[in-house]
Amino acid sequence: MIVTSAPGKVILFGEHAVVYDKLGIVSAVDIRCRVEVIPVAGNKIFIKSNKYNSESSFSKKELFTFYYHIKELVRGRKFNDIEEIYKKDKLAPVFFVLASIFNRYGFKGTEIIINSNIPKGLGSSSAVFSALSLAALKILIPNKISKKEVSGFSYQGDIIAHGGHPSGIDNNAVTYGGYLKYRKSEGFEALRGMPRIDLLIVDSGEQSRTSETVSLVRKMRDNNPGFVNPILDSLNKISGRAVKALKFKDMKRLGGFMVSYYKKLRELGVSTGGLDNIIEISLREGALGAKPTGGWGGGCCLILVEDLKRKETIIKKLKKGNFRVFSIKTASEGVKLHTG
Ligand code: PMV
């Protein structure tokens, strides 16, 4: 049996803009998912997952038929069809990651057990894809594994989970860990010497809808580039300034950039009443910064607050509003092999 784990991640700056080759800043966080992969006799894959609350199996033939179907849809840029497949089956990207690996290195009957408590919006899917890729590669090519390949196979999962059009920030964040600076055309750069910070994560209770919001922004940009492109450029500038504030440990400025990012991206219509409410409460009670993270359309917000008394008040007020609140630390370790 192979056991692996991978961290969740927070996109500190750059979500949505990174899809269009703008700057993104991401950090792995200290909540992990765990994947077990057990080789079994026969030509079947079995998956059990607490995250997707489901059990499913595919034969070798079904797996490859599905694989070629998705490849065809990607080639034809049929993003709506990919989104529909994902809506019907949340395990579809997990099967696609496996199929991509088996397509390159040969099929192997396996049983897979996924355990994850990473909330949606904190890279929960990418963490599973990365931990799964490492475990499957450990079975197939034990001595030739590279993080680059693990990240590449994880990206395949995000093709489905992000509606056909992922930026590549998530798979790199959860595979390499720490802080990364990312731009699609240039890849990522590890940001070293950055402070490990505490953030409050507030779950809006609304399902984050990354594939829908990514499609929404894409369609809006196709129809109205004159409106969308300047917003993406502003987001890019904010992210660039935020890296400097983080480097100089200037938390006040960093918080200010979080709020600027929130206000700017909100113009693209991807926020929700729940997210707006969380930001409003947090800033009113003295947080240094607050913004949603990930795909928006629901999911989680990041709150930066240093003063302990203020932190307590914010937590109390948010809990009163029925939001789930917890603390995380940034700059955690990437995907990891535990046994095998
Ligand atoms: O929903 P998440 O945490 O997987 O983040 C999505 C980030 C986007 O920029 C909206 C999409 C992407 O592929 O980068």
Side-chain angles (χ1 to χ4, degrees), residues 62-230:
E62 284 167 337
L63 189 73
F64 285 118
T65 306
F66 168 71
Y67 174 73
Y68 288 113
H69 179 54
I70 298 288
K71 287 294 240 192
E72 209 42 56
L73 293 178
V74 173
R75 208 166 298 129
R77 298 179 67 79
K78 303 246 167 68
F79 299 139
N80 288 341
D81 294 3
I82 293 175
E83 212 182 316
E84 284 310 310
I85 289 172
Y86 184 47
K87 266 190 205 153
K88 283 194 203 116
D89 182 3
K90 292 289 171 207
L91 278 174
V94 177
F95 282 112
F96 191 59
V97 169
L98 269 180
S100 306
I101 294 173
F102 291 152
N103 185 54
R104 185 163 314 158
Y105 292 115
F107 181 89
K108 183 117 193 87
T110 37
E111 188 182 322
I112 292 151
I113 301 166
I114 299 168
N115 265 298
S116 175
N117 295 317
I118 303 173
K120 282 278 292 172
L122 295 196
S124 55
S125 304
S126 307
V128 169
F129 307 151
S130 182
L132 174 63
S133 300
L134 176 60
L137 290 172
K138 183 73 190 161
I139 289 175
L140 296 165
I141 50 157
N143 302 317
K144 291 194 206 136
I145 302 172
S146 69
K147 283 208 167 163
K148 188 166 180 218
E149 205 169 21
V150 171
S151 181
F153 283 121
S154 314
Y155 179 83
Q156 300 301 310
D158 278 338
I159 288 179
I160 299 184
H162 291 190
H165 209 234
S167 65
I169 195 169
D170 286 9
N171 49 293
N172 282 310
V174 301
T175 303
Y176 290 92
Y179 284 106
L180 302 182
K181 195 169 147 183
Y182 180 80
R183 196 186 292 273
K184 206 170 182 177
S185 60
E186 294 168 5
F188 69 87
E189 184 192 318
L191 289 172
R192 304 198 196 283
M194 299 288 200
R196 199 164 192 217
I197 55 176
D198 291 300
L199 289 169
L200 290 180
I201 303 288
V202 188
D203 191 341
S204 66
E206 301 162 336
Q207 277 277 343
S208 71
R209 294 175 286 119
T210 301
S211 64
E212 283 172 48
T213 53
V214 169
S215 301
L216 183 107
V217 174
R218 188 184 63 246
K219 284 172 195 158
M220 204 187 289
R221 184 169 174 266
D222 287 347
N223 294 332
N224 198 350
F227 172 66
V228 175
N229 285 334

